Amino acid sequence: MSESEKTATISLNGKDVALPVLSGTLGPDVIDIRKLPAQAGVFTYDPGYGETASCSSKITFIDGEKGILLHRGYPIAQLAEQATFMEVAYLLLNGELPAKAEYDTFVHSIKHHTLLHEQIRNFFNGFRRDAHPMAILCGTVGALSSFYHEGLDVSNAATRYQSALRIIAKIPTIAAWAYKYTQGETFVYPRNDLSYAENFLSMMFAVPSEPYKVNPVLARAMDRILILHADHEQNASTSTVRLAGSTGANPFACISAGIAALWGPAHGGANEAVLKMLAEIGHKDNIPEFIAKVKDKNSGVRLMGFGHRVYKNFDPRAKIMQATCHEVLSELGIKDDPLLDLAIELEKIAIHDEYFVKRSLYPNVDFYSGIILKAMGIPTSMFTVLFAVARTTGWISQWKEMIEEPGQRIGRPRQLYTGAPERDFTPFDKRG
Ligand code: CMC
């Protein structure tokens, strides 16, 4: 980040205040308003922080207009096609692609931290069998802080890195066990001979009574889904992780906060909501009626899996996901899936219907990921859990970057107060 020659001037109450303009490596300049309250006695107002840079970061760059997504400078399409999820995780966490030896050490460390403390098994028994797996994930990840006391010390760089490895390694185990628990099935332990994606599939679908062979096409698709969801700049859950982490809270608690934020249907819950929506529409013939509801502002109905806060042209992840979707369906021999037919029909409408075109509402990554996951046999309730497994690498990398930034401060937004002005307390007998 550098201070440019430019300044922005605000004229207020007859006074001009010059504010520095900062430039990043890519993207628009930003006006540094840190001295605004002191110099002009005002704050800025930006509900939802859509126009505010809350931090500087070297991890991910997005250009929503052009549909660009870069991790540490590398285009997402290149990473999805040529890298493994473990390479991307290393890249996000460390800043550079690993040399082969570094990669091997990283993968070895992740594999050797996938087991959960046996006492963590007891937590699962405390949940109802019909609990949503996101509830189990959120609670159990937070509970990791009661096992790794050294992880509570966020001031130690080696400990921070160790916690990051632990959390990336253990989250697939917790996620798969959350599923097994809701099914009443035996927990399947991690296997070190498998890749990260293969191991996740094995922990999800293997049973003790027979050998489990991972389908390589599905494993590759899973790896790609993980890559495509690994990080996405300062979205709601990542900002939640940063805000929680800015207080010095331990990383397990912060990731648990991120999981909670991801759960909402406007964020990570969207892929689950897509499938629910398709089931609700039920048949192609019902699409016009559903679209009419979507266009009616009073209905409160949205076309799930469409639109994005940042991508206003296309979501680059959606393109790759669309191709992966076709690969998986052809591998599994799925030709006439009614939900898939519906999805394809909705996609056509969005591309041609004026309502969607005018508002730049394109299918986003979750539109296709939901269909792929369903085809793979992953239950709908696990969709957001999978998103959380992938995004954990991004969250922990962003958390680490924030803690390591010189002069890091607690996050503390301000507000525009619109409540009652100061008034005197009235006792019961004087209240109207
Ligand atoms: N269906 C129908 N209309 C929509 C939709 C939608 N999915 N999304 C936006 N609009 C309309 C909205 O009503 C508004 O119309 P108007 O200008 O007439 O008032 C216009 O488009 C702009 O919408 P917005 O609410 O300002 O857009 P936003 O940037 O605040 O919302 C969003 C982004 C993702 C929350 C929203 O598009 C949405 O709710 N999509 C469905 C949920 C979804 O698929 N979320 C996953 C996002 S990708 C994964 C992730 O990053 O978590």
Side-chain angles (χ1 to χ4, degrees):
M1 177 176 61
S2 63
E3 200 165 312
S4 70
E5 302 279 285
K6 292 180 254 175
T7 53
T9 306
I10 288 191
S11 301
L12 197 73
N13 301 331
K15 195 176 153 196
D16 284 351
V17 178
L19 298 165
V21 173
L22 308 178
S23 301
T25 22
L26 294 171
D29 290 345
V30 298
I31 302 171
D32 179 351
I33 54 110
R34 280 175 291 183
K35 299 219 168 82
L36 193 58
Q39 292 182 353
V42 292
F43 298 119
T44 52
Y45 181 61
D46 182 17
Y49 314 120
E51 277 68 42
T52 296
S54 60
C55 62
S56 62
S57 178
K58 294 182 169 60
I59 301 177
T60 293
F61 173 75
I62 299 174
D63 183 328
E65 294 300 326
K66 297 193 185 126
I68 294 172
L69 169 60
L70 309 175
H71 290 319
R72 304 282 191 186
Y74 297 103
I76 189 65
Q78 291 183 22
L79 293 172
E81 272 148 30
Q82 298 174 53
T84 63
F85 178 63
M86 280 293 92
E87 273 174 286
V88 174
Y90 183 98
L91 175 71
L92 292 174
L93 199 56
N94 297 292
E96 294 298 335
L97 285 168
K100 184 68 174 67
E102 289 167 330
Y103 178 72
D104 291 344
T105 308
F106 183 71
V107 171
H108 182 272
S109 308
I110 295 290
K111 284 188 174 175
H112 288 80
H113 285 93
T114 49
L115 284 169
L116 301 179
H117 192 293
E118 276 298 296
Q119 266 174 262
I120 291 178
R121 284 184 70 116
N122 299 335
F123 286 125
F124 289 86
N125 291 328
F127 289 99
R128 282 172 53 137
R129 290 276 176 190
D130 61 356
H132 195 290
M134 277 299 273
I136 302 182
L137 191 75
C138 196
T140 312
V141 168
L144 289 178
S145 38
S146 63
F147 284 83
Y148 304 105
H149 295 144
E150 72 281 9
L152 307 186
D153 176 12
V154 298
S155 65
N156 181 309
T159 310
R160 281 198 300 272
Y161 197 71
Q162 182 74 0
S163 296
L165 294 179
R166 273 202 174 112
I167 217 151
I168 295 170
K170 291 183 197 309
I171 192 125
T173 316
I174 299 175
W177 285 16
Y179 168 63
K180 288 290 194 192
Y181 181 75
T182 59
Q183 298 303 296
E185 287 183 21
T186 314
F187 293 150
V188 174
Y189 280 76
R191 275 175 51 189
N192 286 357
D193 60 323
L194 300 178
S195 73
Y196 195 86
E198 289 169 340
N199 181 47
F200 180 67
L201 288 172
S202 156
M203 290 190 292
M204 281 286 294
F205 296 121
V207 287
S209 41
E210 51 190 57
Y212 177 74
K213 201 167 169 317
V214 186
N215 178 323
V217 175
L218 302 193
R220 181 64 195 133
M222 179 56 72
D223 202 67
R224 211 168 262 175
I225 289 175
L226 294 173
I227 292 174
L228 294 180
H229 287 87
D231 192 53
H232 213 227
E233 208 225 52
Q234 307 310 321
N235 53 78
S237 56
T238 303
S239 297
T240 301
V241 170
R242 278 189 178 255
L243 199 56
S246 76
T247 68
N250 74 75
F252 307 105
C254 296
I255 299 300
S256 177
I259 293 168
L262 187 76
W263 196 351
H267 191 5
N271 50 13
E272 183 175 344
V274 168
L275 265 281
K276 277 196 185 134
M277 175 190 76
L278 294 178
E280 206 181 296
I281 300 174
H283 193 275
K284 273 196 219 170
D285 294 350
N286 302 330
I287 292 182
E289 193 191 329
F290 187 78
I291 294 290
K293 261 199 253 167
V294 167
K295 291 180 184 174
D296 173 9
K297 295 282 170 216
N298 298 321
S299 73
V301 177
R302 286 200 161 194
L303 193 53
M304 299 314 285
F306 282 73
H308 199 275
R309 171 56 66 82
V310 180
Y311 296 121
K312 296 300 179 194
N313 248 323
F314 69 95
D315 180 341
R317 304 167 302 169
K319 278 196 166 175
I320 306 161
M321 207 55 111
Q322 187 189 34
T324 309
C325 186
H326 291 300
E327 265 169 49
V328 168
L329 296 173
S330 121
E331 170 68 15
L332 297 174
I334 299 174
K335 283 198 194 85
D336 300 315
D337 185 287
L339 289 192
L340 183 69
D341 289 349
L342 263 178
I344 291 169
E345 202 59 35
L346 283 176
E347 190 188 8
K348 273 193 217 147
I349 288 171
I351 292 163
H352 297 113
D353 190 299
E354 203 210 322
Y355 175 95
F356 297 94
V357 174
K358 213 171 104 198
R359 291 170 179 78
S360 300
L361 299 171
Y362 295 89
N364 58 48
V365 66
D366 287 329
F367 186 67
Y368 297 105
S369 67
I371 300 165
I372 302 177
L373 295 174
K374 178 182 179 288
M376 288 168 100
I378 309 261
T380 318
S381 61
M382 282 296 287
F383 289 6
T384 316
V385 171
L386 237 151
F387 191 159
V389 169
R391 187 55 59 84
T392 292
T393 54
W395 288 331
I396 204 71
S397 305
Q398 299 266 356
W399 169 83
K400 183 172 162 292
E401 177 181 70
M402 178 197 65
I403 301 280
E404 290 171 4
E405 186 170 347
Q408 180 259 322
R409 304 165 75 200
I410 186 170
R412 176 57 170 93
R414 303 303 299 247
Q415 64 170 11
L416 174 65
Y417 177 68
T418 55
E422 185 170 343
R423 49 188 168 160
D424 287 328
F425 178 83
T426 46
F428 277 122
D429 60 352
K430 298 258 163 42
R431 289 177 211 166

